[in-house]
């Protein structure tokens, strides 16, 4: 339980650090979605995003102006933890301690992602770099006692293909 929460906090915190790099400029070009496979996940990715780059225990793709990114962790040992072990306040406090104006728009620790048990959260907040962000996070738990985090984040003030397609992209996640 406790060790697992620390690992989840660490992975999501690193993913959030990459999200902090988001800019606030817009692109304005027509974008299509294409299916890509990363760390065992198949996910639709906007055409204005680059290839997934290895960042330690995760891979990240971002749009050209870095105002949006998709980050997928590797599978990590869950050590018996399940989504039920995380309540909304704990998740918010652990993952967004450096943010201000944090609002949990949706939180479900009884969600599913492609048939797998998951924790799902949509959170808005202002990063320590004063960038207003929207973040969509699935932490997916598997029967082999591992979990994987998928984070979609974008600058709330930017006109991004991720913002325009977030629901479609979230529904596209397959294992």
């Amino acid at each position: 339980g406790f060790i697992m929460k620390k690992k989840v906090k660490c992975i999501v915190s690193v993913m959030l650090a990459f999200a902090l790099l988001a800019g606030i400029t817009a692109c304005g070009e027509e974008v299509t979605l294409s299916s890509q496979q990363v760390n065992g996940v198949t996910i639709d990715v906007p055409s204005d995003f680059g290839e997934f780059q290895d960042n330690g225990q995760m891979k990240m793709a971002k749009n050209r102006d870095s105002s949006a990114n998709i980050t997928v962790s590797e599978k990590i040992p869950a050590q018996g933890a399940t989504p039920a072990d995380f309540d909304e306040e704990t998740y918010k406090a652990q993952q967004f301690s450096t943010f201000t104006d944090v609002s949990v728009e949706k939180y479900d620790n009884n969600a599913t992602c492609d048939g797998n048990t998951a924790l799902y959260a949509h959170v808005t907040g202002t990063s320590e770099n004063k960038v207003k962000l929207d973040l969509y996070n699935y932490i997916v738990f598997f029967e082999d006692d591992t979990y994987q985090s998928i984070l979609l984040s974008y600058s709330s003030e930017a006109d991004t293909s991720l913002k325009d397609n977030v629901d479609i992209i979230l529904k596209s996640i397959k294992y």
Side-chain angles (χ1 to χ4, degrees), residues 117-159:
T117 304
L119 179 156
Y120 170 78
H122 170 206
V123 177
T124 61
T126 303
S127 73
E128 58 193 27
N129 296 337
K130 307 296 185 234
V131 176
K132 293 180 182 179
L133 295 172
D134 268 76
L135 304 111
Y136 296 80
N137 185 208
Y138 267 119
I139 301 175
V140 184
F141 291 78
F142 302 98
E143 291 182 7
D144 65 355
D145 196 33
T146 60
Y147 74 93
Q148 184 171 41
S149 182
I150 302 167
L151 179 69
L152 284 64
S153 62
Y154 57 82
S155 169
S156 305
E157 297 172 346
D159 181 22

Side-chain angles (χ1 to χ4, degrees), residues 33-53:
L33 299 176
S34 64
S35 185
Q36 291 190 31
Q37 188 161 18
V38 58
N39 286 344
V41 175
T42 301
I43 186 169
D44 288 350
V45 177
S47 57
D48 64 333
F49 276 59
E51 294 297 316
F52 279 89
Q53 301 296 316

